[in-house]
Amino acid sequence: MLTIKEKIAEIKKKIDEALANVKFTKSLYEIKMKFMGKGGEVSDLSKSMRDVAPEDRPEVGKQINELRCWADGKFGELDEKLKAEELERKYAEEKIDVTMPVRESAEGAYHPNTLIRNELVSVFSGMGFEVFEGPEIENDYYNFTALNTPKDHPARDMQDTFYLSNDLLLRTQTSAGQIRVMENKKPPIKILSPGKVYRSDDDATHSPMFSQMEGLVVDRGITLCDLKGMLDEFAKKIFGEDVKTRLRPSYFPFTEPSVEVDVSCFECGGKGCRLCKGTGWIEVLGAGMVNRRVLQGCGIDPDEYTGFAFGMGIERIAMLKYGINNMKLLFEGDVRFLKQFKD
Ligand code: PHE
């Protein structure tokens, strides 16, 4: 039989051996449990105190205690060392090289149409306009009849229409939205209506689908002067502070009088250049005073209220502003073209 002293020495030796090759705190913990935990060799040693003669117990107890302290110290020390090593390894693995070049991510850009649309909405909402978006599939009434363009009206030929059925069509103009607004809202009305429109038309400056921005103001005492004043403001904000506007007589069934609006050429300042084809002026939109018959049809008394309306092609404004010579570029979705546009 080994004496307690010998047993202690043996356990110490075993612990030393067990700890010699430990690399991870997890295995260290397992070893610790094996010796110090319930049923472990050190705990068993304490249990064997029962068999020790009463007079020897204080001395033996002291020796067992010393063993515990010694073992706790060993495990504790090694635990700290291994933890530090593990942390080092973790840091090394997760190390980030901040000098490494970043992976280039493709940066998106707004489509020129969106840029112009946003700019127009921002300019006009600054003047108190609210945005209204009508449907792209319209019926004959909203797109034509209510806009004073009945079935046999020659002005229907001004726009080649895509019909979906006898009555349904792809709207040819955002003006259709004017009627929807006036039917539902009584003056004062001040709305801006952007959206896609469709016409059977296809060349360098026309596309079967394009975008328009419509404006409508109806209130007591609205005159052509108000339209002119608002257009001056619009031209300055969109094309530049020195840009002027001029009105030329024109014809639209739903406005009377009707005008074509030109802005002075922002490229040459009006002297005449390629952009303005030597005239010093560039046509940008159609407008006019809302025809009495249109107001009447929407239940608005034309003797009490008057209004003006205007409509412009967003692609046209984008082409003028950014110097784009072919409208197709705006619809092809070529990223090399599109990413050149930033606000
Ligand atoms: N709807 C007309 C067009 O598409 C433009 C316009 C709008 C003219 C409002 C006058 C008033 O050509």
Side-chain angles (χ1 to χ4, degrees), residues 143-144 156 159-163 169-170 172 198-200:
N143 195 79
F144 289 123
R156 286 212 179 194
Q159 302 166 359
D160 274 322
T161 311
F162 289 116
Y163 281 92
L169 46 87
L170 295 177
T172 60
Y198 302 82
R199 290 179 202 179
S200 181

Side-chain angles (χ1 to χ4, degrees), residues 185-235:
K185 194 174 176 318
K186 294 303 141 212
I189 290 169
K190 209 168 182 187
I191 58 110
L192 198 61
S193 192
K196 292 196 188 86
V197 297
Y198 302 82
R199 290 179 202 179
S200 181
D201 227 345
D202 206 359
D203 59 38
T205 50
H206 295 89
S207 150
M209 181 197 77
F210 62 105
S211 321
Q212 281 190 334
M213 178 73 77
E214 188 92 5
L216 172 71
V217 175
V218 184
D219 202 353
R220 287 194 181 87
I222 297 290
T223 69
L224 201 64
C225 270
D226 296 307
L227 171 65
K228 176 81 164 86
M230 187 221 66
L231 289 171
D232 283 343
E233 184 70 15
F234 145 80

Side-chain angles (χ1 to χ4, degrees), residues 42 72 235:
V42 178
D72 277 343

Side-chain angles (χ1 to χ4, degrees), residues 239 242-243 263-282 320:
F239 297 110
D242 303 326
V243 173
V263 295
S264 56
C265 183
F266 42 85
E267 196 73 23
C268 62
K271 286 196 284 293
C273 68
R274 259 178 62 149
L275 184 67
C276 58
K277 298 188 185 84
T279 65
W281 294 93
I282 298 169
L320 287 170

